[in-house]
Amino acid sequence: MSVTEPLFDGAALSADSPLPLYMQLARHLKRLISDGTLAVEDALPAERDLAEGFAVSRVTVRKAVQALVDEGLLHQRPRAGTFVAKAPHVEQPLSALTGFSEDMRSRGLEPSSRWLSRTVAPASPEEAMVLGLALGEKVSRLWRLRLADEAPMAIELSVVPARILPDPLLVTGSLYDVLRGLGYPPHRALQRLSAGLLNPDQAGILHVPEGTPALFIERRSFLENGRPLEFVRSQYRGDAYDFIVELNLNAPPNP
Ligand code: 16G
């Protein structure tokens, strides 16, 4: 499908803005992807039409499109054009305790993260209860957008006792690698999955339309000695993930 009319919004770009025109155009196209005007696999109009429609140069259009290709939001097919990219589709077994980075690498996808925030602060009553902390004890909170091959996959808020992870800045790539390096490898986890719809903020961060179905996952991980290690709340794009469970006859009941 090809989209034209609602795309060319004369007010979207302003010569008075301090933001370069190509960034304004990229931001506008991003918004059209987030609000569903441009859906997955929609073709972008030709470079020439975009340049005319927005009254900018073709170089500006090229730079804006390239920025979105680099972010994984658009992809280009030789001789066919530029299309809204689909998130990679991942099938994830629920029985293995692995981290996002290793999961993506094992599928040949390059994991990355964008920080939404990272703080050290006293645990909330809920965090203190889940992580078995005394009131006032500190936690490191890592709120990240997780990407695979530059495509947004999930939003994840990981909370770890500060006495285990004193500084979230230690985490530049994989949290689990850092925890293992500090001598705190995750040993066991409990996970709760539920279905839901992304709120406008979450949808904006994941670059999908508001109300897109998602999987909400809570994970509590423990050390070998049974002490709580992390409490994670995440929202996974429903179109990007299948979670697979193996069922065995006569398996022992859950603890
Ligand atoms: C996964 C885990 C999350 C963990 C993260 C570590 C689920 C639902 N969650 O996303 O609990 O904190 O991996 O990933 O699987 P990292 O080592 O790449 O930072």
Side-chain angles (χ1 to χ4, degrees), residues 99-101 144 146 156 174-176 217 219 230 232 236:
F100 182 86
S101 304
R144 295 179 290 173
R146 313 300 315 255
E156 198 168 70
S174 158
L175 168 64
Y176 278 5
I217 306 185
R219 180 184 281 195
E230 65 162 356
V232 184
Y236 280 72

Side-chain angles (χ1 to χ4, degrees), residues 54 70 119 201:
F54 287 103
D70 292 344
T119 51
D201 289 344

Side-chain angles (χ1 to χ4, degrees), residues 92 94 96-103 105 111 113 144 146 154 156 158 171 173-180 191 193 217-221 230-234 236 241 243:
Q92 161 113 35
L94 276 175
L97 176 49
T98 49
F100 182 86
S101 304
E102 46 194 321
D103 283 342
R105 285 208 183 93
S113 302
R144 295 179 290 173
R146 313 300 315 255
E156 198 168 70
S158 315
V171 182
S174 158
L175 168 64
Y176 278 5
D177 281 352
V178 171
L179 293 175
R180 281 189 280 261
Q191 206 158 280
L193 277 86
I217 306 185
E218 259 182 42
R219 180 184 281 195
R220 298 167 190 204
S221 312
E230 65 162 356
F231 175 41
V232 184
R233 278 218 170 100
S234 38
Y236 280 72
Y241 267 88
F243 287 91

Side-chain angles (χ1 to χ4, degrees), residues 153-155 195-216 234-239:
M153 301 291 276
I155 303 171
L197 303 178
L198 293 170
N199 69 30
D201 289 344
Q202 295 162 342
I205 294 170
L206 287 168
H207 296 309
V208 292
E210 184 186 331
T212 295
L215 287 160
F216 295 145
S234 38
Q235 297 84 41
Y236 280 72
R237 281 176 66 162
D239 60 343

Side-chain angles (χ1 to χ4, degrees), residues 5-239:
E5 272 320 309
L7 215 63
F8 302 118
D9 173 2
L13 273 56
S14 152
D16 299 331
S17 162
L19 212 59
L21 277 175
Y22 87 90
M23 282 194 198
Q24 294 183 49
L25 179 56
R27 191 178 56 182
H28 177 63
L29 293 173
K30 236 183 205 180
R31 211 172 293 134
L32 295 174
I33 296 173
S34 308
D35 70 16
T37 307
L38 284 169
V40 165
E41 285 306 325
D42 274 348
L44 227 56
E47 189 178 287
R48 181 175 13 94
D49 297 335
L50 283 170
E52 264 172 34
F54 287 103
V56 293
S57 73
R58 289 178 69 159
V59 176
T60 298
V61 172
R62 211 167 301 147
K63 281 176 79 175
V65 168
Q66 190 56 50
L68 298 184
V69 169
D70 292 344
E71 275 193 47
L73 295 177
L74 296 175
H75 68 100
Q76 291 176 312
R77 283 192 223 119
R79 287 185 301 281
T82 304
F83 299 85
V84 178
K86 236 194 335 235
H89 199 91
V90 165
E91 287 195 348
Q92 161 113 35
L94 276 175
S95 44
L97 176 49
T98 49
F100 182 86
S101 304
E102 46 194 321
D103 283 342
M104 294 308 124
R105 285 208 183 93
S106 70
R107 292 168 172 81
L109 301 167
E110 189 51 37
S112 59
S113 302
R114 302 235 165 88
W115 285 102
L116 300 170
S117 74
R118 43 187 159 183
T119 51
V120 179
S124 69
E126 184 194 23
E127 291 163 349
M129 219 148 67
V130 172
L131 293 170
L133 302 175
L135 269 183
E137 252 193 86
K138 291 202 167 157
V139 290
S140 287
R141 293 198 194 102
L142 300 86
W143 193 31
R144 295 179 290 173
L145 168 65
R146 313 300 315 255
L147 305 102
D149 279 356
E150 293 295 331
M153 301 291 276
I155 303 171
E156 198 168 70
L157 174 63
S158 315
V159 185
V160 180
R163 66 176 133 79
I164 291 181
L165 179 71
D167 184 359
L169 289 173
L170 293 172
V171 182
T172 51
S174 158
L175 168 64
Y176 278 5
D177 281 352
V178 171
L179 293 175
R180 281 189 280 261
L182 292 170
Y184 298 107
H187 180 75
R188 185 176 77 86
L190 279 177
Q191 206 158 280
R192 180 202 299 269
L193 277 86
S194 55
L197 303 178
L198 293 170
N199 69 30
D201 289 344
Q202 295 162 342
I205 294 170
L206 287 168
H207 296 309
V208 292
E210 184 186 331
T212 295
L215 287 160
F216 295 145
I217 306 185
E218 259 182 42
R219 180 184 281 195
R220 298 167 190 204
S221 312
F222 302 87
L223 296 167
E224 194 170 5
N225 64 12
R227 299 202 66 166
L229 172 64
E230 65 162 356
F231 175 41
V232 184
R233 278 218 170 100
S234 38
Q235 297 84 41
Y236 280 72
R237 281 176 66 162
D239 60 343

